[in-house]
Amino acid sequence: MDNHTIKNVFKEYIHPLESKVIQKMIDYTEIDKYVKRLDTLKYLYIFLYAQLKGITSLRRVSEQVGRKKNVQRLVGLESISKSQLSRKNRSIPPGVFQAVLQHLILQLHQVMGPKKASEGLGKLILIDSSTISMCLKQYEWADFRETKSGIKLHTSVVLVGEESYPNAVIPTPARPADETQLDALITPDKKALHIFDRGYFNFEKFDLYSSNGIRFVTRIKSNTVVHVVEELPVDPSSSITRHAVVKIGT
């Protein structure tokens, strides 16, 4: 994405978040009680930008904020260190992000109506992985890097209405790519909507899921070849900027 596109897409992401509502959640949990610089809202903005740009390391995130004026304007900071990002990442309770997600779902219900929104969303299955670093000498079997071992927890969490519960947890050594466990985390439920990031990007799997009626949402990589087959009409009153049938890949 170029800077102009990033700015526009970033604004589309930020607009429905309603900073005042989220700030009330933050104030209630008191997670920013003693914070002077990197508050939770700025943290959210920084990592939304990082996701849009496909930045995979805290060091690169820190460099982007420190060097680029447009990034500084978007996130509201002139600089931030890798260690500050890491500390903030550890300090935020997962429940805050679940509350933000519930807030966005509530907005969909208000805009579309409860019945239509529920039918559109159905059962959400959130798929992701977490890597845990460990001592190389004690855990030689947990293949990761030359200087350390590690395991990876591949998880899928079901979200239905206001209820959430784990659907699957698969532990593996840290080295295998996320996509190797995607089939095991996908459910055959055609009413479920699976959501996962670019770590699970695999055209062959996507073709198979589509042919079997399995619904999923992900983000394409920046170098993905996209062929527009047909442009579809867009309701001027909606937040959708473009609707099209596309063919992905060569």
Side-chain angles (χ1 to χ4, degrees):
M1 291 185 180
D2 57 31
N3 289 337
H4 180 69
T5 304
I6 280 287
K7 184 177 180 180
N8 288 336
V9 175
F10 185 84
K11 286 182 177 179
E12 290 296 325
Y13 273 47
I14 292 298
H15 176 68
L17 287 178
E18 291 191 24
S19 59
K20 290 183 179 179
V21 175
I22 297 175
Q23 189 62 56
K24 288 182 179 179
M25 300 178 192
I26 295 167
D27 293 341
Y28 178 78
T29 58
E30 296 188 337
I31 55 177
D32 283 345
K33 188 174 182 180
Y34 301 106
V35 173
K36 295 181 179 179
R37 215 156 163 256
L38 183 57
D39 59 45
T40 302
L41 271 177
K42 288 186 175 69
Y43 168 89
L44 285 173
Y45 295 166
I46 287 172
F47 280 92
L48 277 174
Y49 174 82
Q51 279 290 316
L52 287 171
K53 292 291 287 183
I55 303 172
T56 57
S57 75
L58 296 181
R59 178 174 283 105
R60 288 282 295 122
V61 174
S62 173
E63 290 172 354
Q64 289 282 306
V65 175
R67 294 178 181 177
K68 298 194 174 184
K69 295 294 184 183
N70 67 308
V71 180
Q72 294 169 7
R73 287 192 294 269
L74 288 173
V75 304
L77 282 172
E78 293 185 358
S79 65
I80 197 69
S81 69
K82 173 187 170 183
S83 59
Q84 286 175 302
L85 292 170
S86 179
R87 286 196 298 271
K88 191 66 177 180
N89 196 44
R90 292 195 302 268
S91 69
I92 300 180
V96 171
F97 301 109
Q98 183 171 345
V100 171
L101 179 59
Q102 293 288 357
H103 169 62
L104 294 175
I105 292 173
L106 178 62
Q107 283 187 292
L108 279 177
H109 280 244
Q110 292 174 339
V111 173
M112 301 174 64
K115 184 177 180 180
K116 190 173 180 181
S118 297
E119 290 173 351
L121 287 173
K123 179 168 67 177
L124 297 179
I125 299 182
L126 312 177
I127 295 175
D128 204 355
S129 69
S130 299
T131 301
I132 303 173
S133 298
M134 300 186 300
C135 174
L136 181 60
K137 291 183 178 180
Q138 293 182 339
Y139 303 96
E140 294 182 2
W141 57 268
D143 188 29
F144 189 19
R145 295 176 181 168
E146 292 183 0
T147 57
K148 59 184 175 181
S149 297
I151 63 171
K152 187 176 287 187
L153 295 179
H154 307 265
T155 61
S156 69
V157 176
V158 177
L159 182 66
V160 183
E162 296 184 358
E163 300 294 326
S164 62
Y165 55 89
N167 182 56
V169 178
I170 304 172
T172 68
R175 189 177 290 275
D178 289 351
E179 66 175 81
T180 60
Q181 302 303 315
L182 185 56
D183 288 342
L185 297 170
I186 291 287
T187 68
D189 186 351
K190 295 183 178 180
K191 293 183 179 180
L193 177 63
H194 302 80
I195 301 173
F196 45 85
D197 62 21
R198 286 179 290 204
Y200 299 92
F201 204 81
N202 186 302
F203 285 134
E204 293 182 0
K205 292 183 185 297
F206 294 171
D207 285 341
L208 178 62
Y209 300 154
S210 297
S211 63
N212 290 330
I214 295 173
R215 301 193 305 156
F216 61 92
V217 174
T218 189
R219 291 177 52 229
I220 62 175
K221 295 184 177 180
S222 58
N223 61 350
T224 303
V225 178
V226 179
H227 302 280
V228 178
V229 177
E230 180 185 2
E231 293 283 357
L232 300 175
V234 176
D235 184 350
S237 63
S238 76
S239 60
I240 298 173
T241 57
R242 188 179 183 186
H243 189 195
V245 177
V246 301
K247 180 180 178 181
I248 299 177
T250 56

